[in-house]
C-alpha cells in the first residue's frame, strides 16, 4: 500500500496558473494523497477557478479571508502552511505553489525514494523554471539540478521540489517553536528558513529527474521584491496584482486617471501587494506629481500640488525631454499655486532642484526628493527610474543640500544578516 502524501498548495491571485497546479495533482500516478488548498483571500476570478475542485473529497479547501491591512504582518504562505500542517495526516508532506505544476510521477518517485532510504528524512528533485511575460508567454527557461546530497539546502532548493517525512514536524516544533517561521521579514525566503530547520535533522537526498515546472511571472515575489528599498520613492507609479495604477504621494497611494496612461505606461513598477497595502488609498489626483506640463507660453514641473516654472536652460540641464511634456488647459494651470521656479545658475550652484532628479557625482548616484539628497544604489535606480538619465555634476555644486538616508535594497541586507551559509 502506497503511503499517503499530504500536499499543501498555497494560492493567491493566479487564476490561470492555479488550475494547472491543481490539475497536476489530479493527474498524479500515485493515488494516495490529500490536498490542502489554502487560499489567501484571492480575487473572484481565482475563487471561480478553484470552485469546481473543492467538491473532491481528497481536497481540503481553506480561505484565510485576510484583510489588506493584515497582509504585511506575517509571511502569509507560512501562516497557511502551518495551519495545514496541523491537520495533515499523510506519512509524507510536500509543498506546491499556485505557479507550479508537478509532473505526473512527482509524488510516486519522491515517496518511493523516501521508502527506500530510511536514513534520510528529506528528498528533493530537479526543477524546470520558466519565465513568462504578463500574457503567460514563455520568455526563457532553465533547470535547477538536484545532483548532490545537501547539508545546507537553504537558497538552493525551491519551495515545490521537496518532500519530507511528517514525523520530523514534532521535532521541528519542539526545537524552533513553530513549523514554518511566520516572521514577515522572511517573506521572500520562508522556504529557505524551513529547509535550514529540516537540515538540522536530515540532509536532503537528491532525485536527478525533473519532477516539477515552475513559472515565474512579472508578479512573482522573487521579481517584485528585487531591489525594493524599505521606503518606496515618492512619486513612483506602482501597481500590484489587481493592475490598478497608483502614484505614491507622501505615504498614500493615489489612483491615477486612465487619461494619464501615456505618462505612466512603461514607467509603472510592479510591487508586491503587501507593500502596496502599506500605503493608505488617497483621493485620485488630477495631475500626477513630478510631471512636466505646459501651456502656450511656459513649461512647468508639478511638485507637491504646486507648479514650478522651468527655464529653458534648466530644462536642458536636468535632461528633461520635450516629449514628456503634457499640454494642459490654461484654467487648470492657473488653479495651481506657484512653487519656487526651477532655474539654472551661471555659477553652477544647484538650488531647489526638481524632485525625483538623479545626480551622478564622482561615480555615485544620488536622488533628490522632498528637499533631501539621498545616496541611492544602482539596482534601485534600475527598477524605479526607468528611462531616466542621471544629471552629472560635482559635490561643490550641491554641497549645501541636506543629505538623507541611503536608498538601497532592503532584502539584500536581511539575507546578509540571516547567518545561513550556502553550501
Ligand atoms: N501567497 C500567499 N499570500 C500572499 C501572496 C502570496 O499565500 O499574499 C503565496 C502564493 O500563492 C504562492 C507563494 O505565496 O503560493 C509564493 O508566492 P509567489 O509564487 O508569488 O512568489 P515567488 O516565490 O514565485 O516569487
Ligand atoms: Mg512562485
Amino acid at each position: 500500500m502506497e503511503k499517503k502524501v499530504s500536499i499543501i498548495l498555497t494560492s493567491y491571485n493566479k487564476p490561470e496558473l492555479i488550475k494547472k497546479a491543481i490539475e497536476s495533482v489530479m493527474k498524479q500516478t500515485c493515488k494516495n494523497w490529500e490536498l490542502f488548498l489554502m487560499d489567501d483571500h484571492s480575487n473572484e476570478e481565482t475563487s471561480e477557478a478553484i470552485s469546481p475542485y473543492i467538491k473532491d473529497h481528497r481536497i481540503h479547501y481553506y480561505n484565510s479571508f485576510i484583510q489588506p491591512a493584515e497582509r504585511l504582518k506575517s509571511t502569509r504562505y507560512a501562516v497557511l502552511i502551518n495551519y495545514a500542517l496541523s491537520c495533515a495526516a499523510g506519512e509524507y508532506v510536500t509543498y506546491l505553489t499556485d505557479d507550479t505544476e508537478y509532473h505526473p510521477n512527482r509524488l510516486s518517485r519522491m515517496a518511493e525514494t523516501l521508502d527506500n532510504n530510511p536514513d534520510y528524512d528529506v528528498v528533493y528533485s530537479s526543477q524546470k523554471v520558466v519565465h513568462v511575460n504578463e500574457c503567460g508567454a514563455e520568455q526563457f527557461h532553465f533547470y535547477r539540478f538536484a545532483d548532490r546530497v545537501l547539508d545546507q539546502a537553504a537558497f538552493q532548493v525551491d519551495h515545490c521540489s521537496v518532500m519530507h517525512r511528517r514525523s520530523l514536524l514534532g521535532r521541528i516544533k519542539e526545537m524552533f517553536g513553530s513549523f514554518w517561521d511566520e516572521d514577515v521579514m522572511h517573506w521572500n525566503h520562508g522556504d529557505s528558513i524551513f529547509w535550514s530547520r529540516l537540515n538540522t535533522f536530515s540532509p536532503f537526498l537528491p532525485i536527478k529527474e525533473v519532477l516539477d515546472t515552475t513559472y515565474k511571472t512579472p508578479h512573482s515575489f522573487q521579481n517584485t521584491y528585487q531591489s525594493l528599498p524599505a521606503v518606496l520613492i515618492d512619486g513612483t507609479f506602482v501597481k500590484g496584482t489587481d493592475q490598478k495604477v497608483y502614484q505614491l504621494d507622501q505615504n498614500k497611494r493615489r489612483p491615477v486617471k486612465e487619461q494619464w496612461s501615456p505618462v505612466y505606461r512603461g514607467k509603472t513598477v510592479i510591487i508586491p501587494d503587501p507593500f502596496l497595502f502599506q500605503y493608505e488609498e488617497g483621493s485620485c489626483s488630477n495631475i500626477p506629481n513630478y510631471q512636466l506640463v505646459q501651456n502656450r507660453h511656459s513649461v512647468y514641473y508639478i511638485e507637491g500640488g504646486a507648479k514650478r516654472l522651468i527655464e529653458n536652460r534648466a530644462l536642458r540641464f536636468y535632461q528633461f525631454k520635450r516629449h514628456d511634456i503634457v499640454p494642459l488647459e490654461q484654467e487648470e494651470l492657473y488653479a495651481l499655486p506657484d512653487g519656487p521656479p526651477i532655474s539654472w545658475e551661471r555659477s553652477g550652484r544647484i538650488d531647489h532642484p526638481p524632485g525625483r532628479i538623479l545626480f551622478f557625482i564622482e561615480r555615485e548616484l544620488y536622488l533628490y526628493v522632498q528637499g533631501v539628497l539621498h545616496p541611492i544604489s544602482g539596482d534601485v535606480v534600475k527598477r524605479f527610474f526607468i528611462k531616466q538619465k542621471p544629471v552629472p555634476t560635482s559635490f561643490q555644486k550641491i554641497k549645501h543640500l541636506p543629505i538623507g538616508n541611503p536608498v538601497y535594497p532592503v532584502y539584500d541586507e536581511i539575507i546578509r544578516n540571516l547567518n545561513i551559509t550556502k553550501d
Side-chain angles (χ1 to χ4, degrees):
M1 172 79 183
E2 285 177 322
K3 295 204 173 93
K4 188 175 199 161
V5 182
S6 301
I7 308 154
I8 303 173
L9 165 57
T10 43
S11 151
Y12 179 62
N13 285 1
K14 295 200 182 97
E16 287 310 315
L17 290 169
I18 184 92
K19 279 193 267 185
K20 288 188 176 188
I22 302 171
E23 285 293 337
S24 80
V25 173
M26 312 288 277
K27 288 183 197 138
Q28 287 298 303
T29 54
C30 154
K31 298 292 172 219
N32 194 12
W33 52 260
E34 58 174 356
L35 173 65
F36 290 89
L37 208 180
M38 311 300 287
D39 187 68
D40 206 19
H41 205 185
S42 291
N43 54 26
E44 227 173 273
E45 248 181 301
T46 308
S47 300
E48 275 169 25
I50 289 173
S51 74
Y53 299 99
I54 60 185
K55 292 180 220 89
D56 191 307
H57 71 279
R58 295 164 300 178
I59 298 180
H60 310 290
Y61 168 74
Y62 170 85
N63 189 326
S64 69
F65 292 112
I66 185 85
Q67 293 305 305
E70 299 297 306
R71 208 178 272 284
L72 194 72
K73 295 192 177 154
S74 49
T75 293
R76 292 299 310 156
Y77 57 90
V79 174
L80 296 178
I81 288 173
N82 281 338
Y83 181 66
L85 284 176
S86 67
C87 312
E91 184 97 9
Y92 300 142
V93 178
T94 193
Y95 307 94
L96 180 58
T97 56
D98 47 1
D99 46 13
T100 302
E101 287 175 275
Y102 285 164
H103 296 194
N105 58 343
R106 159 75 162 60
L107 297 184
S108 60
R109 278 290 289 129
M110 289 193 132
E112 141 202 314
T113 310
L114 282 170
D115 289 345
N116 297 336
N117 292 277
D119 293 343
Y120 288 86
D121 292 322
V122 190
V123 293
Y124 78 107
S125 54
S126 299
Q127 177 181 54
K128 182 175 180 182
V129 184
V130 180
H131 281 253
V132 296
N133 63 15
E134 289 231 41
C135 309
E138 176 169 340
Q139 305 294 289
F140 63 94
H141 71 259
F142 66 92
Y143 293 90
R144 281 197 189 114
F145 287 111
D147 47 13
R148 63 209 165 100
V149 172
L150 294 176
D151 291 315
Q152 308 262 11
F155 299 104
Q156 311 287 317
V157 180
D158 186 66
H159 192 110
C160 300
S161 305
V162 170
M163 187 182 284
H164 64 83
R165 294 182 203 281
R166 185 164 61 91
S167 58
L168 277 185
L169 291 172
R171 290 149 78 190
I172 286 184
K173 191 152 192 179
E174 199 179 323
M175 180 173 278
F176 299 98
S178 62
F179 304 133
W180 284 56
D181 192 331
E182 298 179 6
D183 191 322
V184 69
M185 83 178 212
H186 301 313
W187 194 304
N188 202 26
H189 48 262
D191 44 8
S192 287
I193 301 290
F194 187 66
W195 301 165
S196 73
R197 290 180 174 189
L198 289 174
N199 266 143
T200 58
F201 299 103
S202 172
F204 284 38
L205 184 67
I207 299 171
K208 290 204 172 87
E209 248 169 280
V210 176
L211 294 179
D212 70 273
T213 298
T214 190
Y215 297 90
K216 295 279 165 208
T217 69
H219 287 276
S220 85
F221 281 102
Q222 267 153 39
N223 288 329
T224 56
Y225 262 107
Q226 217 173 19
S227 308
L228 280 193
V231 180
L232 301 185
I233 298 154
D234 199 58
T236 308
F237 293 110
V238 292
K239 66 177 175 185
T241 50
D242 79 350
Q243 300 293 309
K244 202 163 142 189
V245 175
Y246 301 91
Q247 188 176 36
L248 299 181
D249 184 13
Q250 300 187 48
N251 295 324
K252 287 217 161 74
R253 54 182 158 113
R254 303 182 67 173
V256 189
K257 288 185 182 147
E258 174 66 32
Q259 75 186 83
W260 291 98
S261 63
V263 167
Y264 61 67
R265 195 176 302 134
K267 277 194 203 159
T268 304
V269 181
I270 301 175
I271 58 170
D273 281 357
F275 252 80
L276 184 66
F277 296 141
Q278 283 181 108
Y279 297 84
E280 197 188 311
E281 184 159 343
S283 58
C284 200
S285 58
N286 285 333
I287 310 169
N289 215 355
Y290 307 105
Q291 175 58 43
L292 284 169
V293 296
Q294 69 180 352
N295 61 12
R296 229 172 303 140
H297 320 286
S298 317
V299 179
Y300 297 90
Y301 195 59
I302 303 297
E303 199 175 332
K307 61 175 189 300
R308 302 182 62 188
L309 183 71
I310 313 187
E311 287 177 0
N312 264 332
R313 276 179 309 189
L315 206 60
R316 280 195 299 276
F317 175 72
Y318 288 115
Q319 311 210 10
F320 286 125
K321 295 183 201 84
R322 288 263 165 207
H323 64 249
D324 284 336
I325 308 174
V326 173
L328 218 59
E329 293 295 326
Q330 199 79 319
E331 300 83 67
E332 241 181 308
L333 259 179
Y334 283 145
L336 296 172
D338 287 305
I342 299 172
S343 53
W344 179 82
E345 296 295 324
R346 194 167 293 278
S347 69
R349 182 184 154 104
I350 295 173
D351 270 316
H352 301 294
R356 282 181 68 89
I357 277 293
L358 293 168
F359 289 110
F360 190 58
I361 306 164
E362 291 175 15
R363 299 191 183 177
E364 301 289 339
L365 287 160
Y366 293 82
L367 165 71
Y368 182 79
V369 72
Q370 293 172 307
V372 180
L373 195 64
H374 302 267
I376 185 169
S377 87
D379 290 338
V380 177
V381 167
K382 245 185 255 157
R383 269 207 81 189
F384 280 77
F385 294 90
I386 305 154
K387 296 178 193 159
Q388 188 174 321
K389 271 202 194 141
V391 177
T393 188
S394 66
F395 263 121
Q396 193 58 25
K397 294 174 182 162
I398 49 103
K399 64 175 197 282
H400 51 283
L401 299 176
I403 297 267
N405 293 332
V407 183
Y408 55 79
V410 71
Y411 276 85
D412 294 4
E413 182 77 7
I414 290 177
I415 290 173
R416 257 199 301 280
N417 292 334
L418 274 180
N419 283 329
I420 296 178
T421 46
K422 293 185 185 177
D423 255 4

